[in-house]
Amino acid sequence: MALATAANFKEFFRQTLSVTALRIPSAMTETFMKRLRGNLLERPKIRSVVPDLGDKTKKLVLLKESISTELPGMPADAVEFIRQNAEVTSHSIELDFTHFNADEILRRLLPPQMVVPSAFETIGHVVHLNLKDEQLPHKQLIGQVILEKNQPRIRTVVNKQSSIESQFRVFPMEVIAGDADLNVRLKEGGCVLEFNFGEVYWNSRLQAEHARIVELFKPNDVICDMFAGIGPFALPAAKQRRCRIYANDLNPRSYHYLSHNVQLNKVQDRVTCFNLDAREFVRTVVNAPPAGAQPIDVTHVILNLPATAIELRDGFVGLFDPGRRLPTVHCYAFSHEVDNPRRDLLQRISKVLGCDLEGRTDLDISVFDVRNVAPNKNMYCVTFRLPPEISYRTVSQTTDASAPATL
């Protein structure tokens, strides 16, 4: 095969396909469809029953490509039924690019033995790929095929160029096919979200996890979302569960889109947005209410920053005055432990807080496996109520060698 490019690859799919056909009376079409289920031709944009151009009273039932006119491999009763009620013949179909799916196309165009990209994330009209090094020389071709097979819903295909390295969890990407437009609009949790995918962190694979956490909330709960992003937890919690939300993100662009989405979903009376360091944010919410207002009793805290959220737990040490209600915390973290990730996570959190969580039955501890992110690396959500013995003491009391880590 000549070299296929993003500009000419469609030419490689013009061909004539010959399949076995059964010429039958039109009145028996439904009967044949039922009797031959599982043996009919299955190809995009091709019907398995077509008119017989030579006889208007007949139809042609097209069998799948692996079945020849001798009908090998078909059940004996089906073969007998065909012999009695149909004429076995052949039928030619002119195929082009539209008759193949993306996987079939890429398997034919890419070098032998190369893994075909089969899974990708969709963000509004954008497809996000994470191509392997050996696939990069073919990135424009891969991008164009995926774009063509998913239009008009998809207008842009991007490839992740490297891992997340910035403090805002934004990774470099390049547009490899379609429009250079990363301003997306999507729906999640009953809310409309608008943002620029190149400026903020977003992962569509976390939709189920967002919904799981939001379902835990009750009306009038007070939620402190320390790394709110553009609002996947905050907005549904406010709109669907009618909670009071304090949502923060350090990325100025995330804060911009978070504020925009609050207005867009008309929940500005239940969501207050912040653009602060996480520790400063939680201190502000818990201990610096507006003049004349009562201190805010937060019921849930979300720390959705898996790479470093555990280290931020020390921000709760000594944060609360004695007698204040203590919140339930939902902390996301990665673990490479295969045999006992729960123990690994609780030991790390215990070290930061300065108290042992393992074996505690009074804190409603749970560890939820969110998703696999790499070989031997999973993302988890650790949920527990803050221990009173560290939450009520002052930070100045923590002066020994086990003092909580700081960023």
Side-chain angles (χ1 to χ4, degrees):
M1 179 183 289
L3 182 64
T5 68
N8 72 357
F9 70 92
K10 291 184 181 181
E11 299 174 9
F12 292 84
F13 294 90
R14 299 186 185 280
Q15 65 183 75
T16 300
L17 174 67
S18 181
V19 297
T20 297
L22 307 178
R23 181 174 285 112
I24 65 170
S26 297
M28 295 189 69
T29 300
E30 186 175 351
T31 301
F32 267 83
M33 294 289 285
K34 291 180 179 178
R35 290 291 297 267
L36 301 180
R37 185 177 290 115
N39 294 290
L40 302 177
L41 181 66
E42 294 182 0
R43 270 193 171 272
K45 299 189 177 182
I46 297 180
R47 296 180 180 275
S48 57
V49 178
V50 298
D52 182 354
L53 299 181
D55 187 343
K56 293 183 179 181
T57 68
K58 301 289 182 68
K59 298 282 189 182
L60 294 179
V61 176
L62 309 183
L63 302 184
K64 59 186 181 182
E65 297 163 61
S66 60
I67 300 177
S68 67
T69 53
E70 288 76 28
L71 309 178
M74 294 189 68
D77 60 336
V79 173
E80 181 64 23
F81 176 76
I82 291 172
R83 299 296 186 198
Q84 292 178 358
N85 298 283
E87 176 190 348
V88 181
T89 183
S90 61
H91 180 71
S92 295
I93 305 169
E94 297 301 318
L95 299 180
D96 59 26
F97 167 79
T98 64
H99 296 107
F100 299 84
N101 61 40
D103 186 74
E104 291 173 322
I105 293 169
L106 290 174
R107 288 188 186 282
R108 290 185 58 180
L109 297 180
L110 295 178
Q113 312 305 319
M114 179 173 289
V115 176
V116 172
S118 57
F120 49 78
E121 180 185 7
T122 302
I123 310 95
H125 69 272
V126 176
V127 160
H128 167 218
L129 297 174
N130 189 6
L131 297 179
K132 301 179 184 299
D133 289 344
E134 62 269 22
Q135 296 167 335
L136 291 178
H138 311 279
K139 61 187 179 183
Q140 277 84 18
L141 174 61
I142 293 171
Q144 193 63 35
V145 169
I146 291 175
L147 177 68
E148 295 268 2
K149 299 308 292 187
N150 290 278
Q151 289 178 327
R153 181 174 60 91
I154 297 302
R155 294 188 285 106
T156 305
V157 181
V158 301
N159 180 51
K160 179 179 178 180
Q161 292 181 295
S162 65
S163 300
I164 295 175
E165 296 179 352
S166 74
Q167 64 174 326
F168 299 144
R169 296 188 289 173
V170 177
F171 54 80
M173 66 181 79
E174 63 173 334
V175 175
I176 60 174
D179 303 332
D181 176 15
L182 300 182
N183 291 304
V184 301
R185 178 185 175 95
L186 54 86
K187 293 183 178 180
E188 182 177 303
C191 299
V192 177
L193 303 175
E194 295 181 345
F195 54 94
N196 185 295
F197 182 52
E199 298 178 344
V200 303
Y201 174 80
W202 177 263
N203 190 331
S204 297
R205 296 184 177 94
L206 295 176
Q207 181 173 352
E209 177 60 12
H210 298 152
R212 184 185 74 87
I213 292 296
V214 170
E215 283 296 314
L216 299 176
F217 303 152
K218 299 176 182 178
N220 300 318
D221 269 347
V222 179
I223 315 300
C224 183
D225 191 352
M226 296 178 66
F227 308 99
I230 55 91
F233 289 111
L235 294 168
K239 190 170 184 177
Q240 304 297 329
R241 309 298 285 178
R242 303 192 66 80
C243 300
R244 181 68 174 94
I245 315 295
Y246 297 89
N248 175 71
D249 204 277
L250 185 61
N251 181 353
R253 298 308 294 162
S254 293
Y255 169 75
H256 166 78
Y257 292 113
L258 172 64
S259 302
H260 169 76
N261 289 323
V262 165
Q263 297 290 327
L264 183 64
N265 289 276
K266 298 180 172 58
V267 291
Q268 56 269 33
D269 59 328
R270 291 191 291 277
V271 182
T272 302
C273 302
F274 297 81
N275 179 213
L276 300 172
D277 169 80
R279 288 188 177 87
E280 180 184 357
F281 163 66
V282 74
R283 288 195 298 266
T284 299
V285 171
V286 172
N287 289 328
Q294 294 295 317
I296 297 169
D297 279 336
V298 176
T299 55
H300 292 269
V301 176
I302 304 171
L303 293 99
N304 183 22
L305 189 66
T308 59
I310 285 180
E311 284 71 26
L312 286 162
R313 296 276 191 170
D314 68 324
F316 297 100
V317 175
L319 182 64
F320 300 88
D321 293 331
R324 292 278 297 277
R325 178 177 180 175
L326 297 179
T328 294
V329 181
H330 310 276
C331 178
Y332 290 87
F334 297 124
S335 177
H336 295 273
E337 280 291 328
V338 176
D339 296 330
N340 199 336
R342 177 187 175 94
R343 180 178 61 190
D344 169 57
L345 293 164
L346 293 185
Q347 286 179 347
R348 288 157 56 194
I349 294 172
S350 297
K351 182 178 180 180
V352 172
L353 290 179
C355 70
D356 191 2
L357 298 188
E358 292 190 89
R360 294 284 290 266
T361 59
D362 59 324
L363 301 178
D364 299 325
I365 300 173
S366 67
V367 178
F368 183 80
D369 188 347
V370 177
R371 71 185 191 100
N372 175 258
V373 296
N376 297 323
K377 181 181 180 181
N378 279 32
M379 174 180 171
Y380 296 89
C381 178
V382 183
T383 294
F384 67 91
R385 288 189 296 107
L386 279 177
E389 66 269 27
I390 61 96
S391 302
Y392 291 140
R393 73 184 179 193
T394 61
V395 176
S396 62
Q397 290 175 305
T398 309
T399 56
D400 59 21
S402 63
T406 56
L407 294 180

